[in-house]
Amino acid sequence: MIDVKETLQDAQERMEMAVMYLDEQLARVRAGRANVAILDGVRVESYGMMVPLNQVASVTAPDARTIAIKPFDKKAIRDIEKAIMDSDVGITPDNNGEVIRLGIPQPTEERRRELAKQCNKIGEKSKVEVRNVRSDIKDKLKKAIKDGLSEDNEKDAEDQLQKLHDKFIKKIDELLEAKNKEIMTV
């Protein structure tokens, strides 16, 4: 027989992972303000290995429209510049020999709408994952009835599962709403 509390705990953890994934993905979306998280996916070749940018350089946002990248080793400046060009960041780096600067352009209205759509797609993926978790756990609970779980316990567990589902869908909606507001703010 399954442990209902453990099963619901598992469901909560899986739903939290979906929300954390969404949060990470939304941080990488460029909303017109300098955000060093947009460079999280950039990998730089350093001593024959591909490493994250923040391991070979200091990445800061000195103002709302600029990201400054100061390499720990000045010889790596070309590799960093190449890695940024090859990535999907979409910004051309400006190199003065010591510091690489990325000027964040103000997105157009059309670009902001595209970014909002992109965020909503990522959000929908997270919602689908939360729904899949709910579905999986519901199936487990239905099977547990055959293994001796009482129908009352199963109904209570399903109610708790639905509450968890609603809570995480609400969190996802709040994250999306905040990001869309950030994107659409000029």
Side-chain angles (χ1 to χ4, degrees):
M1 198 162 93
I2 66 169
D3 183 0
V4 175
K5 277 188 179 178
E6 201 174 287
T7 306
L8 289 172
Q9 186 68 36
D10 177 49
Q12 182 172 353
E13 286 173 13
R14 287 171 59 192
M15 289 178 185
E16 279 175 1
M17 293 297 277
V19 172
M20 283 172 31
Y21 167 81
L22 174 67
D23 202 22
E24 287 173 15
Q25 293 301 309
L26 290 181
R28 291 182 179 172
V29 174
R30 193 163 38 108
R33 262 186 237 102
N35 180 359
V36 296
I38 65 171
L39 298 173
D40 284 351
V42 176
R43 299 258 184 241
V44 180
E45 187 175 334
S46 176
Y47 301 108
M49 291 174 50
M50 295 305 277
V51 294
L53 176 62
N54 61 3
Q55 289 185 7
V56 294
S58 146
V59 182
T60 57
D63 61 64
R65 294 267 164 248
T66 312
I67 295 178
I69 304 160
K70 185 167 175 48
F72 301 135
D73 178 9
K74 286 185 181 160
K75 293 176 188 143
I77 205 159
R78 290 273 176 245
D79 293 331
I80 292 171
E81 203 170 24
K82 183 180 182 313
I84 293 170
M85 294 289 273
D86 293 345
S87 73
D88 61 352
V89 174
I91 302 171
T92 306
D94 179 30
N95 170 5
N96 70 3
E98 288 184 20
V99 177
I100 297 172
R101 294 192 192 289
L102 300 178
I104 310 294
Q106 182 71 31
T108 63
E109 182 71 25
E110 186 179 320
R111 177 72 178 137
R112 284 200 293 272
R113 283 199 184 105
E114 283 176 27
L115 288 171
K117 277 184 188 174
Q118 182 183 347
C119 290
N120 289 333
K121 276 185 184 174
I122 298 167
E124 195 52 44
K125 268 187 185 174
S126 295
K127 285 182 181 182
V128 166
E129 179 57 30
V130 168
R131 290 180 192 124
N132 287 343
V133 170
R134 178 185 61 180
S135 176
D136 290 350
I137 301 300
K138 265 189 172 181
D139 291 345
K140 272 187 185 177
L141 292 171
K142 295 277 187 227
K143 287 177 186 165
I145 289 178
K146 295 174 188 165
D147 295 338
L149 182 69
S150 74
E151 285 188 26
D152 288 344
N153 285 345
E154 189 266 344
K155 282 288 178 219
D156 290 345
E158 254 188 54
D159 289 345
Q160 287 177 314
L161 182 65
Q162 187 61 42
K163 285 178 186 168
L164 271 178
H165 168 269
D166 295 345
K167 175 180 136 186
F168 284 104
I169 292 292
K170 186 177 178 203
K171 267 188 188 177
I172 289 171
D173 286 338
E174 287 169 358
L175 283 172
L176 286 173
E177 188 179 322
K179 187 64 175 187
N180 282 333
K181 186 177 177 187
E182 179 186 338
I183 289 170
M184 290 308 197
T185 303
V186 180

